[in-house]
Amino acid sequence: MSSFFKSFAGNPREAAAMAMVQSSSYRILSYKTCSNLRRTTPSNGFLSKGRSSTKVFSFLYVSQYSTQPNNEFGHSSKRRSRGPVMAAKKAAEGEKQEDGKYKHTVDLPKTGFGMRANSLVREPEIQKLWDDNQVFKRVSDKNNGGSFILHDGPPYANGDLHMGHALNKILKDIINRYKLLQNYRVQYVPGWDCHGLPIELKVLQSLDQESRKELTPVKLRAKAAKFAKSTVKTQMASFKRYGVWADWNNPYLTLDPEYEAAQIEVFGQMALQGYIYRGRKPVHWSPSSRTALAEAELEYPEGHVSRSIYVLFKLVSGAKTGLLEEFFPNLSVAIWTTTPWTVPANAAVAVNAKLQYSVVEVQSYTEDDSALKGSKKKRLGNVLKNQQTLFLIVATDLVPALEAKWGVKLIINKTFLGSDLENCRYAHPIDNKECPVVIGGDYITTESGTGLVHTAPGHGQEDYATGLKYGLSVFSPVDDEGKFTEEAGQFSGLSVLAEGNSAVVDYLDEKLSLVMEESYAHKYPYDWRTKKPTIFRATEQWFASVEGFRGATMDAISNVKWIPPQAENRISAMTSSRSDWCISRQRTWGVPIPVFYHVKTKEPLMNEETIDHVKSIISQKGSDAWWYMSVEDLLPEKYRDKAADYEKGTDTMDVWFDSGSSWAGVLGKRDGLSFPADVYLEGTDQHRGWFQSSLLTSIATKGKAPYSAVITHGFVLDEKGMKMSKSLGNVVDPRMVIEGGKNSKDAPAYGADVLRLWVSSVDYAGDVLIGPQILRQMSDIYRKLRGTLRYLLGNLHDWKADNAVPYHSLPIIDQHALFQLENVVKNIKECYDNYQFFRIFQIIQRFIIVDLSNFYFDVAKDRLYTGGTSSFTRRSCQTVLSAHLLSILRVIAPILPHLAEDVWQNLPFEYRNEDGSAAKFVFELKWPSLNEQLLSFPVEESHFWEKILELRTEVNKVLELARNGKLIGSSLEAKVYLCTEDAVMASKLREMCAAENEADTLQRIFITSQVEVLSPTEKEKADAEYKGEYVEEGNNRVWIGVSRAEGSKCERCWNYSSKVGSFPDHPSLCFRCYKVIVALPPPEPAVAAV
């Protein structure tokens, strides 16, 4: 076992992964497309949620254990001593050396590009360089390949940024920068959502009680605007530090007058088409915020427990003569509810017409309820302890479950359909009024409860819909604070979510209406801002009638490209089932609903003239004008003589209407932008938020979606897959990642590019993980990538384009390297086009860091350093290195722009674009054009080189055995023997040994001094102390032997050769080094010091 594999002896999974990489590391390069990559790579992305730590990091370890250098220019194989190369390097650094007269003839790498990123200093310098030269605008304006619009979803201007913001903005920036390289004119306008309750609350919390009393709406709005603008400034600085390019001087803020006017225009168009109406309907109401909420403003935390009750409503008459008469007067309908506080507002009991129901007699109740005593989860009502005969109506299918739950025997006396119960009457359990049994919808099932649903039209969407059908009153005796009003009688003043709930339960039990109370854990809506429970409550609100354009919306969804594809199912389900959109809020900080109410009749005044007039005022003065201007001034001239009869509405618009109008306020108003946008990109929670609100407003007014494609990403979790929270201490702050903490050991400064590299590494389609260990791995990969680029720069220090060797003159190894490079660029382009950045990360990981380092760069050093400055073999290698540098820079630039620019500013040679223009900055380059000549490398040659590389791996194993056996130290001290009975393979191997281009010879590829291909007869006589075997596909075998190299060691290149000693003037050199030295110009005579 080689030392390489010994590293993994304790972990079979990692050993297997490494064996795969080492034995077939180049195979990835012949993949033709990213779609092929998808078929060969697990669908869950790297670092995605749900992977074990072993699985998460085993892939990273591939690069960690690649043959990386300890020396400055790296990519050195431990199998090979550097000899005079290292001696010359140390001499250049001023170290004392033994006499080495040829050290000055070695072509060492030279570059000012440092190995250390020094990102705290260098990244801001690069960003300043971009800003000073307006590089984003400069590049975009020059591009002529059409426009690309990624419309920014506005983050909320409230507080510091978190890792979710970083993931979102960096993903957008990667896309925009790639499109720049693709010759698109990229217009990216960043935005901020500036209205709403959280900002209003921040202002109120900053004031003492006395100051709050003096706070007028105008003063509150001024403070809220100041707070929002200050937050925008802070967040903008953070986004810039991430390396995000945008039109930072002209962002869109939802508080800008021109934006607010565009929003009023959207509202007006919807109103004039009849999509906006005012009605008394149950809405999500937040007692803690004292305002209505939209579905997107709710969250459903784990662990909510409600007090559920089974209640009897006593029947007083039946619907069909003779159906139920025999059971009177002891017959009741049984209902189940998780909101006891809504019972005072009960108006009906609903049944499913198609379900079977039964009259059951309650029997066999036992007084022994010891199992329930002391239990907070369950308690039985007094009605079960009453000895009188009791008949109940319940769904037939639920009888067994209710028997078990209540601890009673239920005897079925009669069975009938739910439709037979319609128009039965029962006595309300609190005020004793008669109420009907009605037919509800398919929401009534036998999954839980009793199959009969308590219906309060003032406190539920389905209840409201059923109530409309039967003309039931919309009764909601609850105020803004969530307390019962006087209409609730004895419960007046009690909080419905606290003591009011308990009071109702106790009253029902006292009146022998309560069968059982039990705790019930379920999803329940909470206010996403205050983190407190909400209620359904009927209030006068403004609504958008989604039903009016639902069909068009569903059609539009099917014409949008959704990434990932399953996102279409998510938004389709949400849109097809959603109720009308409550768009009014009872807050001060927001865009006003431009409506006037008649003082006496309360009839609203809102038409095209009034809306246009308000819009024109707001476009000039901002929405503050609604609060400080008089009704007379806000009304159009034709209505001013009636101004005294009207008052302004005080409701503001839902903030989702604010941001949902951004397509109108930005895409429809800014020069250079167009509607619809090419892409919207936000978190998966925006299917019920911004994606949906933008879609609804756009369909209602434009008849089409505001986006052509929608990309969604998951949430950011810690390394263990846990949600981040301050209480758990697992929050990863993007600012801390970039700038580091007080303790640089525990919280090092990684810089923006390492953070961006992490973003590219994750499969954002699901939730993604980040933490200290992952960041350390990212930093290690970044460092190795930087080392790769430094190697390229250093070995091109004397390169000029005129030195390039024509393709057909290149050694086969160089042609093969360019073939691999071209395939990689082609694959990466497809991944960029499909927004599969984590696959780009994988390709970079395998090709740039592992494969180039482990093979091509390793074997190239000999000819680069000792082959002769202007020799064909060195120039051909530099031809390949320059192609790699120029391509690698462009494919990594969207992900690692600071690194790419840093390299470009240290480029040692001049480069011009195909049109002859000089590229002063890396993004003035264009994406590499597809080179069909490089891709024309013969398939059979490619397959043969795969075999050679696999053979090289097996040769290395035998060399390692020889090293461990003390036969050799450096691999250059070895001679390798090969033997195969496959005549074709043997012929090809002999051709390589005698290759015209020295770079193609097997000794250079194996980094040994000699390679000899033997016949089977010669093999038996070979003096090979260490042996191995390579088995190729088809079971063809190549025998491998290793002995000491023949001849003496060359002082300059350390290769062993029988020619050493043949040249009297240079007796310590091999033939190759001798030719290099004699071709050198004579040294200039030293000038004596004066």
Side-chain angles (χ1 to χ4, degrees):
M1 182 185 290
S2 70
S3 61
F4 184 84
F5 284 95
K6 286 178 182 176
S7 306
F8 297 91
N11 192 328
R13 179 177 288 145
E14 290 176 4
M18 288 310 307
M20 177 190 72
V21 170
Q22 195 175 55
S23 65
S24 60
S25 58
Y26 259 63
R27 287 182 179 173
I28 184 173
L29 307 183
S30 61
Y31 291 166
K32 298 302 181 188
T33 63
C34 277
S35 58
N36 288 340
L37 254 175
R38 180 176 290 280
R39 288 194 291 271
T40 58
T41 308
S43 59
N44 287 336
F46 173 64
L47 300 186
S48 63
K49 184 181 178 184
R51 295 234 180 149
S52 70
S53 58
T54 301
K55 290 180 181 177
V56 166
F57 295 108
S58 62
F59 183 67
L60 284 173
Y61 291 149
V62 172
S63 70
Q64 182 173 339
Y65 288 94
S66 63
T67 51
Q68 273 296 323
N70 292 322
N71 63 68
E72 192 178 4
F73 275 93
H75 307 282
S76 167
S77 170
K78 70 177 182 180
R79 292 178 289 102
R80 177 169 183 173
S81 300
R82 281 294 166 245
V85 175
M86 292 304 299
K89 176 181 177 297
K90 291 178 180 178
E93 293 171 351
E95 295 186 23
K96 185 178 180 181
Q97 299 292 318
E98 297 177 6
D99 184 34
K101 61 179 180 179
Y102 297 110
K103 61 179 182 286
H104 67 281
T105 69
V106 177
D107 291 297
L108 289 176
K110 301 173 186 176
T111 181
F113 181 75
M115 188 61 204
R116 291 188 60 190
N118 194 21
S119 57
L120 278 179
V121 174
R122 189 60 180 145
E123 285 181 349
E125 288 177 349
I126 291 170
Q127 290 173 2
K128 186 176 186 300
L129 178 72
W130 290 334
D131 289 344
D132 290 348
N133 291 276
Q134 294 187 301
V135 177
F136 178 35
K137 185 177 185 303
R138 169 175 170 160
V139 173
S140 185
D141 289 349
K142 281 184 181 179
N143 287 350
N144 57 13
S147 66
F148 176 78
I149 310 297
L150 192 161
H151 183 42
D152 190 33
Y156 203 65
N158 178 32
D160 295 328
L161 300 180
H162 53 68
M163 194 56 75
H165 290 109
L167 173 68
N168 178 266
K169 274 296 195 291
I170 291 172
L171 282 173
K172 292 173 180 176
D173 192 60
I174 290 173
I175 294 170
N176 282 333
R177 286 177 182 268
Y178 169 67
K179 292 296 183 179
L180 282 173
L181 291 174
Q182 286 288 327
N183 199 32
Y184 284 95
R185 293 190 304 276
V186 175
Q187 303 285 338
Y188 180 57
V189 180
W192 274 269
D193 204 347
C194 300
H195 291 130
L197 181 63
I199 294 174
E200 189 172 331
L201 290 178
K202 284 277 181 125
V203 171
L204 293 174
Q205 291 165 3
S206 68
L207 302 175
D208 56 34
Q209 201 64 36
E210 196 63 33
S211 298
R212 290 188 192 185
K213 292 179 181 178
E214 299 175 0
L215 198 62
T216 64
V218 173
K219 289 180 179 178
L220 171 62
R221 288 175 59 84
K223 290 181 180 295
K226 182 179 179 180
F227 175 86
K229 289 177 180 177
S230 173
T231 303
V232 166
K233 187 176 180 181
T234 302
Q235 291 186 358
M236 184 185 292
S238 295
F239 287 140
K240 287 182 177 180
R241 186 60 186 89
Y242 300 165
V244 175
W245 272 356
D247 189 358
W248 296 116
N249 293 328
N250 301 288
Y252 78 86
L253 310 184
T254 59
L255 56 70
D256 288 338
E258 60 271 21
Y259 186 98
E260 293 176 326
Q263 181 178 333
I264 292 289
E265 184 177 358
V266 171
F267 174 88
Q269 290 173 356
M270 292 180 68
L272 295 175
Q273 292 183 65
Y275 295 141
I276 303 293
Y277 69 93
R278 184 168 174 80
R280 180 175 170 79
K281 292 177 63 175
V283 295
H284 289 287
W285 183 271
S286 172
S288 54
S289 297
R290 299 188 190 181
T291 188
L293 299 178
E295 180 66 36
E297 297 172 292
L298 304 174
E299 59 186 19
Y300 296 81
E302 298 290 340
H304 177 86
V305 178
S306 292
R307 298 179 67 175
S308 73
I309 56 173
Y310 292 86
V311 183
L312 304 184
F313 293 175
K314 196 166 185 178
L315 280 180
V316 295
S317 68
K320 289 188 176 182
T321 305
L323 179 64
L324 302 174
E325 287 179 1
E326 62 187 286
F327 306 108
F328 284 105
N330 299 316
L331 179 62
S332 299
V333 290
I335 65 97
W336 175 71
T337 180
T338 59
T339 53
W341 61 268
T342 62
V343 172
N346 173 268
V349 167
V351 295
N352 188 323
K354 299 175 184 178
L355 289 180
Q356 280 197 328
Y357 291 83
S358 294
V359 174
V360 296
E361 183 178 356
V362 181
Q363 291 184 356
S364 307
Y365 170 70
T366 173
E367 290 289 340
D368 182 15
D369 57 354
S370 57
L372 298 173
K373 287 182 178 177
S375 171
K376 293 183 178 179
K377 293 188 176 181
K378 282 187 179 183
R379 77 175 171 107
L380 293 175
N382 289 321
V383 68
L384 291 184
K385 301 172 186 178
N386 194 348
Q387 297 301 315
Q388 71 181 56
T389 303
L390 188 60
F391 294 103
L392 309 179
I393 297 177
V394 297
T396 308
D397 290 347
L398 285 166
V399 170
L402 293 173
E403 282 183 321
K405 187 175 287 290
W406 296 347
V408 298
K409 183 65 177 176
L410 301 178
I411 306 298
I412 295 178
N413 283 265
K414 201 167 193 174
T415 300
F416 37 83
L417 287 175
S419 57
D420 295 330
L421 292 172
E422 186 178 19
N423 295 324
C424 288
R425 312 286 290 182
Y426 65 89
H428 193 286
I430 294 178
D431 61 20
N432 216 35
K433 68 182 178 183
E434 282 194 14
C435 301
V437 175
V438 299
I439 302 299
D442 292 336
Y443 64 90
I444 303 172
T445 69
T446 56
E447 291 180 6
S448 59
T450 65
L452 297 95
V453 175
H454 145 60
T455 301
H459 294 295
Q461 294 280 15
E462 291 153 337
D463 304 43
Y464 176 80
T466 300
L468 280 181
K469 187 166 65 172
Y470 285 90
L472 303 177
S473 64
V474 182
F475 181 52
S476 179
V478 180
D479 66 15
D480 291 359
E481 296 180 55
K483 294 180 179 180
F484 281 120
T485 64
E486 292 182 0
E487 293 175 296
Q490 65 198 62
F491 306 114
S492 177
L494 301 179
S495 170
V496 300
L497 292 174
E499 66 273 12
N501 213 28
S502 299
V504 171
V505 174
D506 292 343
Y507 179 86
L508 292 172
D509 195 20
E510 180 185 327
K511 297 299 182 182
L512 300 182
S513 294
L514 181 70
V515 178
M516 172 183 276
E517 176 189 3
E518 68 173 339
S519 298
Y520 181 70
H522 64 128
K523 297 286 188 182
Y524 189 87
Y526 277 59
D527 185 330
W528 71 335
R529 299 179 180 99
T530 63
K531 310 300 180 185
K532 293 183 179 180
T534 62
I535 60 175
F536 256 113
R537 171 181 177 239
T539 59
E540 290 285 341
Q541 300 289 346
W542 288 93
F543 296 88
S545 175
V546 178
E547 196 58 46
F549 49 89
R550 192 188 306 275
T553 303
M554 299 304 295
D555 290 341
I557 288 173
S558 65
N559 291 321
V560 171
K561 182 177 182 181
W562 298 92
I563 303 171
Q566 59 266 31
E568 181 175 354
N569 297 332
R570 182 177 172 87
I571 195 166
S572 293
M574 290 180 172
T575 307
S576 63
S577 61
R578 73 159 296 151
S579 57
D580 285 352
W581 178 9
C582 178
I583 61 171
S584 52
R585 295 293 179 270
Q586 290 65 55
R587 307 307 305 179
T588 301
W589 178 230
V591 177
I593 291 180
V595 61
F596 303 88
Y597 297 101
H598 195 276
V599 175
K600 293 182 179 179
T601 66
K602 303 303 179 185
E603 281 295 310
L605 171 62
M606 185 170 65
N607 55 40
E608 186 173 3
E609 291 173 292
T610 62
I611 293 172
D612 283 349
H613 187 67
V614 171
K615 185 189 78 172
S616 66
I617 292 172
I618 287 178
S619 68
Q620 299 171 28
K621 302 182 178 182
S623 60
D624 282 351
W626 184 261
W627 276 266
Y628 68 72
M629 289 179 67
S630 66
V631 172
E632 183 177 0
D633 292 333
L634 290 169
L635 282 169
E637 189 171 347
K638 67 179 287 187
Y639 292 99
R640 287 180 182 171
D641 59 338
K642 301 177 183 177
D645 297 334
Y646 288 93
E647 59 187 4
K648 294 178 282 187
T650 57
D651 289 343
T652 54
M653 291 191 208
D654 174 17
V655 290
W656 290 110
F657 202 99
D658 286 25
S659 59
S661 302
S662 62
W663 58 265
V666 183
L667 300 179
K669 303 294 182 183
R670 299 284 184 103
D671 291 339
L673 300 183
S674 58
F675 174 91
D678 292 292
V679 173
Y680 275 34
L681 187 159
E682 300 300 330
T684 186
D685 56 330
Q686 296 308 313
H687 289 113
R688 67 188 181 103
W690 188 56
F691 295 152
Q692 191 172 150
S693 63
S694 299
L695 181 65
L696 295 176
T697 55
S698 182
I699 294 295
T701 57
K702 291 285 188 180
K704 64 188 297 185
Y707 35 67
S708 298
V710 172
I711 304 172
T712 56
H713 60 77
F715 295 102
V716 182
L717 309 175
D718 74 4
E719 285 176 326
K720 297 177 181 178
M722 302 288 289
K723 185 178 179 180
M724 293 186 191
S725 70
K726 291 181 180 178
S727 60
L728 292 177
N730 64 346
V731 173
V732 181
D733 182 354
R735 181 188 60 80
M736 192 80 74
V737 171
I738 294 172
E739 299 177 2
K742 294 180 180 178
N743 186 330
S744 60
K745 184 177 180 181
D746 294 336
Y750 289 115
D753 270 0
V754 170
L755 182 63
R756 294 175 68 101
L757 186 64
W758 166 76
V759 170
S760 77
S761 75
V762 297
D763 184 357
Y764 60 78
D767 292 343
V768 300
L769 312 182
I770 192 171
Q773 187 178 2
I774 292 173
L775 286 168
R776 281 193 294 271
Q777 296 290 341
M778 288 296 128
S779 177
D780 191 47
I781 293 169
Y782 171 86
R783 179 180 59 81
K784 290 171 181 175
L785 177 56
R786 189 177 180 91
T788 296
L789 293 167
R790 190 166 189 268
Y791 174 96
L792 291 167
L793 286 172
N795 284 292
L796 292 168
H797 64 86
D798 61 342
W799 173 252
K800 295 179 181 177
D802 293 342
N803 297 333
V805 175
Y807 176 76
H808 289 296
S809 299
L810 291 173
I812 301 300
I813 187 175
D814 291 342
Q815 291 185 17
H816 181 253
L818 291 175
F819 167 70
Q820 305 287 25
L821 174 65
E822 194 66 17
N823 270 303
V824 163
V825 173
K826 181 181 177 183
N827 289 347
I828 287 179
K829 179 183 183 300
E830 183 174 338
C831 294
Y832 270 122
D833 288 339
N834 293 322
Y835 307 108
Q836 296 174 346
F837 309 126
F838 75 99
R839 300 198 184 283
I840 298 171
F841 171 85
Q842 291 172 351
I843 295 172
I844 290 173
Q845 167 88 332
R846 294 172 189 169
F847 172 64
I848 298 178
I849 297 176
V850 178
D851 293 323
L852 286 178
S853 301
N854 282 353
F855 174 61
Y856 189 81
F857 288 175
D858 205 17
V859 302
K861 284 181 178 169
D862 182 79
R863 51 175 166 151
L864 285 171
Y865 297 173
T866 64
T869 302
S870 300
S871 66
F872 169 84
T873 188
R874 184 167 182 267
R875 292 307 190 201
S876 69
C877 186
Q878 287 183 311
T879 301
V880 174
L881 295 186
S882 64
H884 276 73
L885 178 61
L886 293 171
S887 290
I888 290 170
L889 274 185
R890 286 179 276 190
V891 300
I892 69 166
I895 295 170
L896 302 169
H898 304 93
L899 174 59
E901 190 66 74
D902 203 2
V903 171
W904 191 253
Q905 296 305 319
N906 283 277
L907 196 72
F909 56 88
E910 186 182 55
Y911 177 80
R912 291 187 175 274
N913 287 311
E914 292 180 2
D915 62 2
S917 62
K920 185 177 179 182
F921 307 98
V922 72
F923 280 90
E924 289 186 321
L925 298 169
K926 295 294 179 285
W927 187 264
S929 300
L930 188 67
N931 190 323
E932 294 293 347
Q933 183 182 46
L934 302 186
L935 290 175
S936 66
F937 191 75
V939 174
E940 61 275 10
E941 284 287 347
S942 177
H943 290 163
F944 177 70
W945 271 91
E946 285 186 16
K947 293 179 182 179
I948 290 298
L949 292 168
E950 291 169 357
L951 173 61
R952 182 176 185 266
T953 298
E954 298 306 315
V955 168
N956 287 342
K957 291 178 182 178
V958 183
L959 290 171
E960 182 69 12
L961 292 174
R963 184 181 294 107
N964 292 338
K966 309 299 183 184
L967 176 69
I968 62 172
S970 161
S971 62
L972 291 176
E973 297 174 13
K975 177 178 181 178
V976 171
Y977 298 95
L978 302 175
C979 179
T980 178
E981 294 183 358
D982 182 344
V984 175
M985 183 67 164
S987 175
K988 283 182 171 290
L989 292 175
R990 287 192 177 94
E991 287 178 12
M992 291 189 72
C993 286
E996 181 180 348
N997 284 312
E998 186 186 32
D1000 288 335
T1001 61
L1002 286 176
Q1003 70 187 61
R1004 299 303 180 206
I1005 292 170
F1006 294 162
I1007 315 182
T1008 59
S1009 288
Q1010 293 111 28
V1011 176
E1012 184 176 354
V1013 180
L1014 306 176
S1015 68
T1017 304
E1018 292 170 327
K1019 167 192 162 187
E1020 302 303 323
K1021 301 176 183 178
D1023 184 22
E1025 295 185 37
Y1026 293 90
K1027 305 176 182 67
E1029 191 175 57
Y1030 162 58
V1031 182
E1032 60 175 302
E1033 292 180 11
N1035 208 33
N1036 292 325
R1037 298 169 182 270
V1038 178
W1039 173 86
I1040 303 166
V1042 170
S1043 69
R1044 286 281 302 181
E1046 299 170 356
S1048 301
K1049 184 168 73 172
C1050 173
E1051 179 184 353
R1052 182 171 178 272
C1053 70
W1054 283 30
N1055 278 264
Y1056 281 71
S1057 172
S1058 58
K1059 295 292 185 181
V1060 174
S1062 301
F1063 314 106
D1065 47 345
H1066 295 286
S1068 61
L1069 297 186
C1070 65
F1071 180 57
R1072 182 188 61 168
C1073 288
Y1074 175 75
K1075 288 194 298 180
V1076 171
I1077 294 302
V1078 299
L1080 291 174
E1084 295 181 6
V1087 179
V1090 177

